[in-house]
Amino acid sequence: MRIAIAGGGPGGLYFAALMKQLDAAHEVTVFERNAPDDTFGFGVVFSDETLGGIESADTAIYQQMAARFARWTDIDIDFNGHRFTVGGQGFAAMSRKELLHILQERAAELGVTVHYRTPAPDVDTLRASHDLVLAADGVNSRIRTKYADAFGPSLDRRRNKYIWLGTDLVFEAFQFIVKQTDWGTMQIHGYPYSAGGSTFIVEMHEDVWRRAGFDDSSEDTVPRIAEIFAGELKGHRVLTNNSRWINFTTVRNERWHDGNVVLIGDAAHTAHFSIGSGTKLAMEDALALAACLHEQRCVEAALEAYQAERKPVVESTQRAAQASLEWFENIGMYAAQEPAQFCFNLLTRSRRITFENLKERDQEFAARIEADFARSQNQAAVVPAMFQPVRIGPLELKNRVVVSPMDMYSACDGLPNDLHLVHLGSKALGGAGLVMTEMVCVSADGRITPGCTGLWTDEQRDAYRRITEFVHGRTTAKIGLQLGHSGRKGSTRLMWEGMDEPLDEGNWEVVGPSPIPYGVDAHVPREISRSEMDAVVADFVAAARRGVDAGFDLVEIHAAHGYLLSSFLSPLSNRRTDDYGGSLANRLRFPLEVFDAVRAAVPSTMPLTVRISATDWAPDGNTATDAMEIARAFVSHGAAAIDVSSGQVVKDEKPAYGRSYQTPFADLIRHEVAAAAGVKVIAVGAISSHDDVNSILLAGRADLCALGRAHLYNPQWTLQAAAEQEYRGPAAEWPKPFEAGRRKPPSSRTDKIPPRLALLRAGAGNVHVRWVPVG
């Protein structure tokens, strides 16, 4: 096989060596535009899983690397002079220049032809004369750019500035330094890579960078950094190596190969340096690709297998890295946190490390975090965070678990029935502090489907009273009423018959702020008139009053997910030219009218909350910045809590799904808007384990967590969480008939992953275990 490689960095050289090791007859040529002793950066970090793959594939390379590793097991965090050490991590790093030297020597030893100081020839020429062309030409890949139509690249330039430096101060562990300066928050990412030096990455928001007087051509950058961090450097030098200020760019590609051309490393993907190493990922790519070429019968099949196997692993890493980089972009808003909580927040920022992970690694630190949280809530008992009581306005809840609103689509003429009694009653019996109804519609024309419940008649009120009386009589849970109007998303089929699809017959006219359908095949709404808006306000008020009479403890206004109030808030569905369209202040006008009218209609002893979509997940739609203003408006009008969801405003949205993927929006709103006003924030979305809940609460990202699907799977989710954490107390009191189930059965724990499965989930080892070294 004839192979051409554009790029002589670690990924390209490692792949070249692996292919020659597999078969010495392979003709492998590397084109590297830099000199052999050129390099950028200082150190590179590897995980144990990556090192295991390198060892099994080529012991010669591994042994050379291992002889140069700096190893450590701690993370040190310096936050404004408060120092913390958290153990049990496990890292290995080495000099990037030494790694390149090892790979260059190994490639030469195996007979790889490397042309240094030589840009790769035109890729069309290479692909015509070679069986395989490897694009290992970095973030600014010319090959990826030339075949952009085939690869579908996405380049996301982030707003923080950073510069990759070194220091002759040898850190003892992975070192985070977070410092408040006269210009704002600055942070250092550092780690040792040899007995004589450490990587020293300086990062800050671009606004901070500008206020501090830095610029791209500043000649005094290094002296200024040495001055700012003089106390942390302890007299040691700051070193440069082709160092310059840059903005991190996240690279993604829809496809990683086209014909016989394939991308690896930074040409295919990048992951922020705060969680990943580009070198590590590139070498894992090389190992996976070499294995696939060894196993598959032809190049085309091998490239398909490589993408199918490697791309999901990288995307998982990128999701974690995205959460991490966004956390560091917003690091300034955590400056007021207590030092220990800040430390925990930093460690769990990517959502891959959780409270349970840390407890296993450092029990003393975990115990301090729980004790500090209890103290911050004025509670004497140190218990799992989810079981600390909480108030939403005047309403006290026994714990911080909320059963999220979930449409059952099972009513007849808006009447809740036995299914709703069992659904909501079972969740209340299951231990949650607050159980929310599905969206209860304020009028027949405000239903989503014919199966939605409502509160436009007294009969419906009485049917709901039966449910609230059960919850109050049999449990210690509270029950909340979510009120909404479907707007342009109404008159559709039951979910299991075709979600958001119009009814085959019996349709009713739908309204919206503008005559814009939710999707291509959806109803075109009629633009709602002012008089009809008044009628909708009256419907909300009447329904809220019936809710009070029915015995609900809390009312929530549904202003999310593209229903009527949400569609007023979004510029994608609201194109009005009157006082209710245009600016965000105008788009807020009608939802606030509804909110104010309901607030006036319910007793002051009953909290009124609101659910919002924090982003539309679509171009030109609402963003997190808009969500802060929306939340701020509702808070100023008396909202006791902001329930932070996202999306479902337009059909062609592109959510960034992942573990607790909506929590960063709750975090932002809590810190920037709600906390100072004493307003609670509820996080929702892909939260599934008690570990997720405790981690979110302990880090201060939300005050409560709402779970939906987890409660459908297990109505006793909260009681099981109590048993698994060996908690016995009033916050998870078992109903007397259920007492026999309190004892935790053997091996009942569900949020533990067997070690091997954990390895596969992390994306490590799945290729490596199949590797058969040759020679």
Side-chain angles (χ1 to χ4, degrees):
M1 179 184 294
R2 297 195 71 209
I3 302 171
I5 301 174
L13 288 171
Y14 186 48
F15 177 76
L18 291 173
M19 293 306 293
K20 288 294 285 186
Q21 186 191 162
L22 280 169
D23 189 342
H26 288 322
E27 182 182 326
V28 184
T29 305
V30 178
F31 298 93
E32 170 53 52
R33 64 187 177 189
N34 295 313
D37 56 349
D38 287 346
T39 189
F40 301 88
F42 289 87
V44 292
V45 181
F46 294 96
S47 65
D48 289 340
E49 293 82 9
T50 302
L51 294 176
I54 292 172
E55 182 178 19
S56 66
D58 191 321
T59 55
I61 290 176
Y62 175 79
Q63 288 171 357
Q64 287 285 317
M65 292 173 62
R68 294 165 172 81
F69 281 149
R71 290 187 178 272
W72 66 95
T73 59
D74 292 337
I75 293 178
D76 289 341
I77 299 173
D78 184 326
F79 176 54
N80 292 333
H82 298 274
R83 292 177 174 80
F84 297 87
T85 296
V86 181
Q89 307 300 315
F91 300 96
M94 65 180 299
S95 161
R96 180 180 171 85
K97 182 170 287 189
E98 288 190 345
L99 175 62
L100 275 174
H101 183 67
I102 290 169
L103 294 172
Q104 288 166 356
E105 284 193 339
R106 183 60 171 158
E109 176 187 332
L110 293 168
V112 175
T113 301
V114 183
H115 299 292
Y116 293 105
R117 303 183 181 86
T118 307
D122 181 74
V123 66
D124 289 335
T125 302
L126 290 176
R127 71 187 306 176
S129 57
H130 290 78
D131 301 295
L132 178 69
V133 178
L134 188 75
D137 51 347
V139 172
N140 301 311
S141 170
R142 290 188 302 158
I143 294 175
R144 184 190 64 226
T145 301
K146 181 165 186 173
Y147 296 120
D149 289 345
F151 295 126
S154 167
L155 307 180
D156 179 16
R157 185 178 183 271
R158 303 305 303 185
R159 62 178 186 243
N160 270 16
K161 285 283 189 180
Y162 74 97
I163 186 168
W164 204 291
L165 300 166
T167 177
D168 56 5
L169 169 63
V170 181
F171 295 125
E172 296 180 358
F174 210 114
Q175 178 74 60
F176 289 105
I177 300 171
V178 180
K179 187 166 188 172
Q180 303 304 315
T181 71
D182 293 339
W183 311 281
T185 306
M186 299 182 185
Q187 62 260 20
I188 300 295
H189 308 254
Y191 56 86
Y193 63 81
S194 72
S198 301
T199 292
F200 194 79
I201 305 170
V202 184
E203 183 187 20
M204 65 195 76
H205 194 284
E206 191 161 353
D207 292 344
V208 176
W209 179 79
R210 293 190 187 283
R211 287 196 295 269
F214 292 115
D215 60 61
D216 291 325
S217 60
S218 178
E219 294 183 359
D220 67 344
T221 285
V222 170
R224 286 288 311 285
I225 288 172
E227 178 184 359
I228 292 169
F229 292 97
E232 291 77 13
L233 286 165
K234 303 172 184 176
H236 289 268
R237 294 178 298 155
V238 175
L239 309 174
T240 64
N241 179 3
N242 298 302
S243 304
R244 59 188 179 89
W245 288 108
I246 55 178
N247 295 71
F248 186 83
T249 298
T250 300
V251 176
R252 299 179 179 88
N253 285 275
E254 292 180 11
R255 287 180 57 79
W256 289 10
H257 63 93
D258 175 53
N260 64 342
V261 179
V262 62
L263 307 175
I264 73 164
D266 286 353
H269 50 72
T270 58
H272 192 251
F273 52 81
S274 61
I275 192 173
S277 162
T279 298
K280 166 189 176 296
L281 292 174
M283 292 181 71
E284 288 177 347
D285 287 351
L287 185 52
L289 179 57
C292 290
L293 286 164
H294 178 63
E295 295 163 359
Q296 300 295 328
R297 64 186 183 280
C298 65
V299 169
E300 181 180 359
L303 300 188
E304 285 289 347
Y306 161 67
Q307 176 175 305
E309 184 161 1
R310 186 76 183 135
K311 192 167 184 277
V313 173
V314 170
E315 288 175 342
S316 176
T317 299
Q318 287 185 309
R319 284 192 293 272
Q322 186 76 8
S324 181
L325 78 84
E326 289 177 1
W327 192 91
F328 279 108
E329 287 177 342
N330 294 309
I331 194 171
M333 73 181 187
Y334 305 116
Q337 284 192 317
E338 289 298 315
Q341 186 181 46
F342 177 90
C343 176
F344 178 78
N345 197 350
L346 186 154
L347 291 169
T348 59
R349 67 195 181 279
S350 73
R351 305 192 286 277
R352 278 192 165 183
I353 295 177
T354 64
F355 178 69
E356 287 294 322
N357 298 148
L358 288 176
K359 189 177 351 182
E360 291 176 0
R361 299 171 182 181
D362 195 323
Q363 290 186 356
E364 182 179 349
F365 177 74
R368 174 175 179 176
I369 294 300
E370 279 193 316
D372 284 357
F373 184 79
R375 194 177 307 112
S376 73
Q377 303 303 310
N378 298 314
Q379 298 295 319
V382 178
V383 301
M386 64 187 292
F387 295 121
Q388 291 287 5
V390 65
R391 281 185 173 274
I392 298 179
L395 180 66
E396 183 166 353
L397 304 177
K398 63 181 179 180
N399 62 49
R400 295 167 185 254
V401 177
V402 180
V403 176
S404 198
M406 293 175 281
D407 292 318
M408 295 290 103
Y409 306 108
S410 299
C412 180
D413 296 326
L415 279 170
N417 51 44
D418 287 350
L419 184 140
H420 300 88
L421 172 64
V422 172
H423 165 58
L424 297 171
S426 66
K427 308 307 182 289
L429 286 167
L434 175 64
V435 178
M436 293 297 300
T437 67
E438 61 192 270
M439 186 178 92
V440 176
C441 304
V442 298
S443 65
D445 287 347
R447 291 174 296 168
I448 308 166
T449 76
C452 292
T453 66
L455 267 176
W456 65 84
T457 71
D458 291 348
E459 187 181 8
Q460 294 161 350
R461 175 202 62 199
D462 295 342
Y464 263 119
R465 183 183 293 126
R466 176 179 176 228
I467 295 172
T468 63
E469 287 177 349
F470 176 89
V471 171
H472 294 145
R474 293 285 185 171
T475 81
T476 53
K478 303 299 182 182
I479 182 165
L481 167 66
Q482 186 187 70
L483 288 177
H485 187 296
S486 61
R488 66 178 185 163
K489 294 178 74 175
S491 191
T492 59
R493 302 177 189 178
L494 304 182
M495 180 180 65
W496 47 86
E497 294 176 355
M499 189 171 179
D500 298 321
E501 295 179 17
L503 293 166
D504 292 328
E505 57 183 22
N507 284 283
W508 56 88
E509 188 175 31
V510 297
V511 295
S514 302
I516 303 171
Y518 173 63
V520 174
D521 299 322
H523 297 293
V524 177
R526 180 171 50 78
E527 182 170 300
I528 190 170
S529 67
R530 176 64 259 186
S531 62
E532 289 172 313
M533 292 161 65
D534 290 338
V536 169
V537 173
D539 288 339
F540 268 93
V541 168
R545 286 174 174 158
R546 288 191 178 96
V548 174
D549 293 342
F552 284 101
D553 301 298
L554 171 150
V555 175
E556 178 173 275
I557 300 299
H558 198 345
H561 298 170
Y563 299 119
L564 182 62
L565 302 187
S566 171
S567 64
F568 265 89
L569 292 172
S570 174
L572 299 178
S573 47
N574 184 348
R575 306 285 175 81
R576 298 176 75 98
T577 57
D578 61 7
D579 291 343
Y580 295 90
S583 68
L584 179 56
N586 281 359
R587 301 197 308 272
L588 268 160
R589 194 183 300 271
F590 180 57
L592 289 174
E593 285 181 8
V594 171
F595 187 90
D596 289 344
V598 173
R599 177 66 279 173
V602 301
S604 60
T605 54
M606 176 178 285
L608 183 61
T609 68
V610 62
R611 173 172 277 201
I612 65 171
S613 283
T615 178
D616 291 345
W617 297 116
D620 302 318
N622 281 334
T623 65
T625 301
D626 300 308
M628 285 194 292
E629 294 308 310
I630 292 168
R632 189 171 283 113
F634 281 111
V635 167
S636 70
H637 283 246
I642 308 295
D643 188 356
V644 185
S645 188
S646 72
Q648 301 180 52
V649 175
V650 292
K651 191 77 168 179
D652 58 349
E653 65 177 1
K654 293 185 178 178
Y657 291 120
R659 184 178 192 175
S660 308
Y661 72 105
Q662 294 176 158
T663 299
F665 302 119
D667 190 5
L668 184 67
I669 288 170
R670 184 177 187 271
H671 279 89
E672 295 293 329
V673 178
V679 171
K680 298 300 188 288
V681 169
I682 304 170
V684 60
I687 301 170
S688 59
S689 72
H690 64 72
D691 192 16
D692 289 336
V693 174
N694 287 328
S695 297
I696 290 167
L697 298 174
L698 289 168
R701 297 180 184 122
D703 301 290
L704 303 95
C705 290
L707 297 87
R709 290 176 176 85
H711 281 112
L712 291 179
Y713 180 76
N714 179 8
Q716 278 77 42
W717 185 90
T718 307
L719 296 181
Q720 181 178 340
E724 289 175 350
Q725 297 174 87
E726 300 180 351
Y727 168 76
R728 298 172 68 98
E733 187 174 348
W734 287 64
K736 297 300 183 186
F738 292 3
E739 278 283 352
R742 180 192 288 272
R743 187 177 59 200
K744 182 175 69 173
S747 69
S748 69
R749 188 156 182 161
T750 58
D751 63 343
K752 283 286 191 180
I753 304 170
R756 178 60 193 150
L757 184 57
L759 191 67
L760 292 174
R761 179 173 288 184
N766 51 341
V767 172
H768 309 161
V769 296
R770 299 201 315 264
W771 181 265
V772 179
V774 177

